[in-house]
Amino acid sequence: MRFLLAAIALLGSSNSVITAFAPPTTINQQHPITTALAAKGGKLSVRPIGIGSCAPSTVITNSDLESVHDTSDEWIRTRTGIEQRRVLVHEGTRPIVGSDGETTESPETLRTLGIEAAKQALEMSGKSPADIDLVICATSSPDDLFGDAPSIASAIGIEAGQCVAFDLTAACSGFLFGIVTASQFLTNGASQNALVLGADALTRWVDWDDRNSCILFGDGAGAMVLTRSDENEGLSGSEDGFGILGYAMHSNGGGYKDLNCIYKGEPKKIATPGEGTVLEDGSYDSMGMNGRKVYSFATREVPTVLEEALEQAGINVDDVDHLLLHQANIRIMETVASRLGMPMEKVITNLYKYGNTSAASIPLALDEAVRSGQVKKGDVIACAGFGAGLSWGAAILKWG
């Protein structure tokens, strides 16, 4: 259902191209595939007008992990760029200030992080909950297996039946895939205003006995409000009504073994007639990752997909004000920037504070950049997400 809704949206836009079930091909020699999925397109009549984020209150520093593993702050920082991460904890709470000024402790879950991020994005956008008619929550680790988007929509005041809300799963590419999908709904007239969230709690699924992976991840949520615009709506100068200038997205299931979190059921026998029937109690194994292959995949494919998106936008690297990548590893960011010929001064990053927050990482970083004044109205931002699937994509945004 999630993929069907996204595919319908993509097919509904006249300037989008989607290819699926292509003849057998090879994206790279390590991951031969028989099903190539790709989508790309140019300008979309939407504008990003609000951004928000929220992270858990509990902080685990690199120094804290020295008592867990044979590691050090210096070892982690020099290899990843991470100094600390925010994590959701068992039965965690966070202080909430009510309208009466009183502070109470409220449960802290991935859903409540998403609710707070969504409220911040709505406030910045100037839109009310009644204006939102599409909510997409990009997540691989929802509180509710059936999806968090509908309950988040309800919690922020969107009335029942007012909007369509659904989750989208594309791992660390999820937020980028989500804003492109929402933009298709807006551009084809199905919706007027969309709220897109990226929220993940991968610390629930990481193997904390694995020194190489547990140091990388944190939890968090971010949200963006997109509004439908008209290229002839009277905006002046460079404000032509297009907030997504171009995009490109890819998937390669041939590489799923390099980064995954696989279903792991435990046998459960029920007393049906005869010898009974052995079913399964559902659960998932810890996340598995081949770090070397994922690093190679990211540094190879991300510069290429950014160049594809720039080509779709009809601009070049010199026209880009900021580079915003999924916050996975500072070395990946440095390599991608170098291959594009962009200085690190243009790279937006807050990886050192949050670690890899999967689908939340792009909106978490963009929120801080906008609120600090680093990103200004009209700035062009080249964004790219990449991760499990394998999946990767890029979009060229114009802020505000």
Side-chain angles (χ1 to χ4, degrees):
M1 182 64 178
R2 297 172 182 172
F3 178 77
L4 177 60
L5 285 166
I8 289 171
L10 286 168
L11 291 170
S13 178
S14 60
N15 62 344
S16 300
V17 177
I18 182 167
T19 59
F21 309 110
T25 185
T26 300
I27 288 182
N28 61 71
Q29 295 300 317
Q30 292 179 331
H31 303 306
I33 58 175
T34 56
T35 309
L37 293 171
K40 61 180 68 177
K43 294 179 178 178
L44 296 174
S45 298
V46 302
R47 289 188 296 127
I49 57 172
I51 190 78
S53 64
C54 188
S57 53
T58 300
V59 177
I60 295 180
T61 66
N62 292 346
S63 296
D64 293 334
L65 291 177
E66 291 176 1
S67 63
V68 180
H69 288 290
D70 180 16
T71 189
S72 68
D73 172 58
E74 187 272 340
W75 189 91
I76 298 171
R77 278 189 297 103
T78 57
R79 286 162 176 78
T80 68
I82 299 168
E83 298 178 11
Q84 63 179 42
R85 67 283 298 142
R86 302 287 191 94
V87 298
L88 289 170
V89 298
H90 181 63
E91 297 184 346
T93 61
R94 66 185 299 116
I96 301 295
V97 179
S99 57
D100 58 0
E102 293 294 320
T103 301
T104 59
E105 291 294 318
S106 176
E108 186 175 70
T109 67
L110 189 65
R111 177 177 172 274
T112 61
L113 296 182
I115 291 167
E116 177 60 27
K119 288 179 177 178
Q120 291 180 18
L122 278 173
E123 182 179 7
M124 181 184 288
S125 73
K127 300 292 183 182
S128 72
D131 295 320
I132 303 298
D133 47 16
L134 173 65
V135 177
I136 298 175
C137 182
T139 182
S140 301
S141 51
D143 283 351
D144 183 348
L145 179 65
F146 297 141
D148 286 343
S151 64
I152 290 174
S154 176
I156 63 174
I158 299 176
E159 295 183 1
Q162 176 187 315
C163 80
V164 59
F166 60 91
D167 283 19
L168 181 154
T169 300
C172 301
S173 305
F175 183 76
L176 189 135
F177 281 24
I179 61 174
V180 171
T181 299
S183 296
Q184 304 291 344
F185 278 93
L186 298 173
T187 298
N188 68 24
S191 303
Q192 296 297 315
N193 298 287
L195 173 68
V196 180
L197 297 103
D200 266 313
L202 293 190
T203 62
R204 295 170 173 173
W205 301 107
V206 73
D207 180 359
W208 284 96
D209 292 326
D210 178 7
R211 181 187 71 165
N212 293 320
S213 62
C214 75
I215 63 173
L216 300 174
F217 295 95
D219 305 326
M224 178 185 287
V225 174
L226 294 157
T227 188
R228 186 182 180 192
S229 60
D230 187 335
E231 59 182 299
N232 300 312
E233 65 184 5
L235 295 174
S236 61
S238 63
E239 299 178 356
D240 54 11
F242 296 115
I244 291 188
L245 307 182
Y247 63 91
M249 305 186 299
H250 297 272
S251 297
N252 174 10
Y256 90 97
K257 292 183 179 180
D258 293 333
L259 182 54
N260 57 41
C261 188
I262 301 296
Y263 173 79
K264 179 183 178 182
E266 297 295 332
K268 179 181 179 64
K269 189 172 184 177
I270 60 173
T272 54
E275 297 182 357
T277 303
V278 179
L279 305 175
E280 287 185 332
D281 276 334
S283 63
Y284 284 83
D285 205 346
S286 296
M287 183 168 52
M289 179 174 64
N290 184 324
R292 187 178 299 275
K293 286 190 176 181
V294 171
Y295 180 89
S296 176
F297 146 73
T299 54
R300 179 182 62 249
E301 301 294 355
V302 172
T304 301
V305 78
L306 279 162
E307 290 171 347
E308 288 182 68
L310 288 167
E311 182 179 4
Q312 292 292 324
I315 63 176
N316 58 45
V317 170
D318 294 336
D319 300 314
V320 174
D321 297 301
H322 309 281
L323 177 63
L324 174 55
L325 305 179
H326 164 51
Q327 307 285 291
N329 185 303
I330 195 65
R331 289 181 172 181
I332 293 176
M333 297 185 215
E334 291 169 346
T335 300
V336 172
S338 175
R339 292 183 178 177
L340 290 172
M342 296 185 69
M344 282 300 292
E345 289 75 16
K346 286 191 173 185
V347 176
I348 297 172
T349 179
N350 59 4
L351 171 70
Y352 71 98
K353 290 196 293 185
Y354 299 106
N356 180 345
T357 56
S358 190
S361 76
I362 288 176
L364 264 171
L366 181 58
D367 182 39
E368 291 194 353
V370 170
R371 293 180 188 275
S372 69
Q374 181 181 2
V375 171
K376 301 175 177 60
K377 186 174 181 179
D379 280 1
V380 175
I381 311 163
C383 300
F386 52 91
L390 295 170
S391 62
W392 64 103
I396 311 302
L397 307 182
K398 182 185 289 185
W399 179 252

